[in-house]
Each structure stands twice: as C-alpha cells, then as structure tokens.
Amino acid sequence: MTDTMQGQALEDRAEPGQGDVGRWRSGVRRAVLLGARPEPWRRGLVLAALALLLGLLLLLHALIPNRIGNLGSLVETFLPWFGLGVPVLLAGALWRRSGSAVAALMLPAVVWTHLFGGHLIDKSHPGADFTVASHNVGAANPDPAGTARALAASGADVLALEELVPQTTGTYEKELVKTYPHHTVVGTVGLWSKLPLSDPQPIDIVNYGPLAKIAAAKQKLAPNRALRTTVATDHGPLTVYVAHLGSVRVNPRAGFWTGSRNIGVQAIGRAIAAEKNQRVVLLGDLNGTMDDRAFDDITSRLRPAQDAAGDGFGFTWPASFPVVRADEILLRGVEPKSSWVLPATRSDHRPVAAGFDW
C-alpha cells in the first residue's frame, strides 16, 4: 500500500465518531506521511537556492564591499525592498509544491523581520512638547506659496527648508513670516522658527577632506548647503543643523556614485562630534537612507526619529511614489515621541515631521 493510500486509510478510520478532533489528528498524520515522501523536497531546488541567497544577502549585507561601484551602499539603500522577494518566491514554491523552497524561505523571512519588522509597528506616542519639520521644497516647485502655506499649517515649531533658490526664497519668507517670525537662510538651506534664533553659522559640507586642503581658492565652492543655529526654548538652547547633502547617481561606469554626499556626511559628523550642546537636531535632505553604512558618522551620534517613534518606513522620494527615505530628522538629548510624513506638496520630495519631549 502506498503512503498516500495509508494516509487515506488512517483518515477514513479516524472520521467515524471522532468529530473535529479525530479529523484534525488524521489530517496531521496525513501531512506527516506526505511530508515524508521525497518528491516535495526534490522539487523547486532552484527556488530553494534563490531563497537561501536572498536570506544570506539580507543577513550579510554589511560584508558586501564598496570597492566596486559602492555596491554595498547601493544594496543597503534599497534593502527593505528585498523583502518583496519572499512572497514572490513563496508563490513559486507553492505552485511547484516544493517543500525545500518553503523551508529555505524561513531564512530571509526571519532575517527581514529582525531587520525591519519594527517598522511595521506604530511606535508613536501623543503629547509631544516640541515639533520640527523639514522639506526639500524643490528648485523647480511651481507653487512655492502653496507649499509654504501647507508647511505653516503643519503646526511645527521649527521648519527647515532645503533647495531654496533666489527666485523663490522671498516667497517663502513672505508666506512664513506670520507663523515663523524668526528665520535664517544660508545659501540653499534655511530655518524658520516660532522662537528666537541665535548664532547662525554656515557649515561647509562641500570643501571638506584632504583634497579641499590643497585645492585652489577659485576651485572651492561656497559653503551654502548646511547651517547651524540655536533655538531658544523654555527648556534651554536647542542646537539645530540643516543640511542638503550632495546628490547621488547610478550609472554603468561609476556604479553608485556618492562622492559629494559622503564628503558632506563626514563634515556634518565632525561638526556634531564637536558640538557641546547635548540637545541636537539634524534636519534635511541627506540623499540616502540610514541603513547605508556611509552614514555611520552621523548615526553613531544621532538617533533617527523615524526608527525610534515612527509608523512605517516613512519613505519620502520620489513624492509621486516614494521608495526611499531621503529626508531625515535625527535627534540627540531629547526623547522622540512621534515621526511622520506630511502630505505631498508640488516638490519632488515629501516633507517630514517629528515630535519630541525634553
């Protein structure tokens, strides 16, 4: 008698008079007998191999080298999306009725849940004392006035804007002055505040590193992409950094090009390391995700608000269909209570906000 016939016979014997418990027990016995057959484990070996490779990529992504085209950083930028491979491979495994593929999928499923499962839980709490917001308003934004009004309605105590251009900076100043009587602008970045600001300073995130020391003066660019200032709050001074780090590019020759951005990361990291005030907030378009190892100089000193108190991944770019969180709020010396993405404006980025207690 074959295993299938034996399982059916067991099931038939279990059904009379045994009710649901008997049918459940017979079903378990049948599943065990079917699982013991070699055919389901021989099917879908390619799917099983792909599942194991996916699990190893998620588990060992930090070991992927950056020497060739910054491949490690590129993988880490989109790392959460590799989890989509699990349901795709699972569908294939079920279609092939492959026990080996289903078993192999346990590895990527467990690793992805360990890495990103916390993002599926709402970690926010109501009642924040202070709210900050940040938005890359977009140099080509066709409606700066409407964008400014939408941001003013967010209720943020402090608002950072990036990618300001001379043609629109005046519009933002005009539209925001009633809500934010205090502001400072350095080149393409600015900070608007309901509370007084003091000691605004440009932070040079462009001319940094060994090459900057030997570059001729005419080769250096204006330090106009980051600033530091102090907000006078009822709980003492709050140091705020606003930054728009260099762009990144993906192309066949250079791979994932991040040179100017990484220079900015190092410069901001050095500034924060030297910061004497324990209460620090970094706002801005960082052109990367905090999963990317390139941001270790920053994440070793500041805590991403979305990771600590967000709901979901908080993707911000591109605004029409966000796939990465390029815009960040990072904190030190305060207790994050909430973090969220604001409704889209006419920019190609979505604004972000976070609330915290002292």
Side-chain angles (χ1 to χ4, degrees):
M1 183 181 294
T2 65
D3 291 341
T4 303
M5 295 175 63
Q6 288 177 349
Q8 184 64 50
L10 288 171
E11 183 177 2
D12 292 341
R13 287 199 299 270
E15 285 183 354
Q18 293 185 23
D20 293 338
V21 175
R23 285 192 290 272
W24 179 82
R25 288 177 177 173
S26 65
V28 171
R29 294 191 189 99
R30 186 179 182 186
V32 170
L33 290 171
L34 290 174
R37 298 172 61 191
E39 288 82 1
W41 300 98
R42 292 174 180 170
R43 298 191 196 106
L45 294 180
V46 172
L47 291 171
L50 290 174
L52 292 175
L53 288 175
L54 177 60
L56 291 174
L57 182 146
L58 291 168
L59 182 64
L60 304 175
H61 65 87
L63 300 181
I64 300 174
N66 261 344
R67 291 189 298 272
I68 303 175
N70 282 324
L71 181 60
S73 287
L74 179 60
V75 168
E76 289 167 344
T77 297
F78 298 98
L79 196 62
W81 291 98
F82 283 90
L84 291 177
V86 173
V88 171
L89 291 173
L90 179 60
L94 294 177
W95 178 69
R96 291 281 291 139
R97 290 183 290 180
S98 170
S100 58
V102 172
L105 278 168
M106 291 297 295
L107 177 62
V110 169
V111 175
W112 190 94
T113 301
H114 173 72
L115 292 174
F116 303 111
H119 290 283
L120 306 180
I121 303 172
D122 185 356
K123 300 181 290 295
S124 62
H125 301 280
D129 288 337
F130 201 86
T131 302
V132 297
S134 177
H135 189 27
N136 179 328
V137 293
N141 189 328
D143 186 19
T147 297
R149 289 192 293 270
L151 294 172
S154 69
D157 298 288
V158 167
L159 171 65
L161 302 185
E162 304 88 47
E163 209 166 289
L164 295 169
V165 292
Q167 299 90 325
T168 60
T169 299
T171 300
Y172 289 109
E173 291 174 331
K174 178 182 176 181
E175 295 293 337
L176 294 172
V177 67
K178 291 183 180 180
T179 306
Y180 301 100
H182 311 279
H183 85 282
T184 182
V185 174
V186 173
T188 64
V189 298
L191 187 72
W192 276 256
S193 175
K194 295 179 179 179
L195 302 171
L197 302 174
S198 63
D199 194 25
Q201 303 172 10
I203 302 294
D204 192 347
I205 63 171
V206 181
N207 308 297
Y208 178 82
L211 293 178
K213 296 179 181 179
I214 61 175
K218 64 180 181 180
Q219 294 177 312
K220 294 185 178 182
L221 301 174
N224 64 349
R225 294 176 67 94
L227 65 84
R228 174 200 180 277
T229 189
T230 301
V231 182
T233 77
D234 294 338
H235 300 271
L238 174 70
T239 299
V240 178
Y241 289 82
V242 182
H244 184 191
L245 300 186
S247 299
V248 299
R249 296 286 186 271
V250 179
N251 61 67
R253 290 187 177 181
F256 189 41
W257 185 82
T258 62
S260 62
R261 185 203 67 183
N262 291 354
I263 289 173
V265 171
Q266 294 169 15
I268 289 291
R270 182 185 66 169
I272 293 171
E275 179 62 55
K276 296 180 180 179
N277 189 0
Q278 289 303 306
R279 291 174 174 170
V280 177
V281 177
L282 170 60
L283 306 163
D285 174 9
L286 304 188
N287 271 309
T289 72
M290 297 303 99
D291 295 314
D292 185 345
R293 70 193 70 175
F295 288 92
D296 287 351
D297 281 349
I298 292 177
T299 55
S300 62
R301 299 179 174 97
L302 299 177
R303 186 181 186 188
Q306 186 68 19
D307 290 352
D311 180 12
F313 288 92
F315 296 143
T316 63
W317 182 88
S320 57
F321 187 81
V323 296
V324 295
R325 184 175 173 86
D327 306 86
E328 283 289 348
I329 298 174
L330 298 103
L331 314 165
R332 184 181 81 188
V334 293
E335 184 61 33
K337 300 286 287 185
S338 55
S339 178
W340 66 99
V341 177
L342 293 166
T345 67
R346 299 294 296 277
S347 171
D348 59 340
H349 289 245
R350 294 193 181 188
V352 294
F356 58 82
D357 284 346
W358 307 95

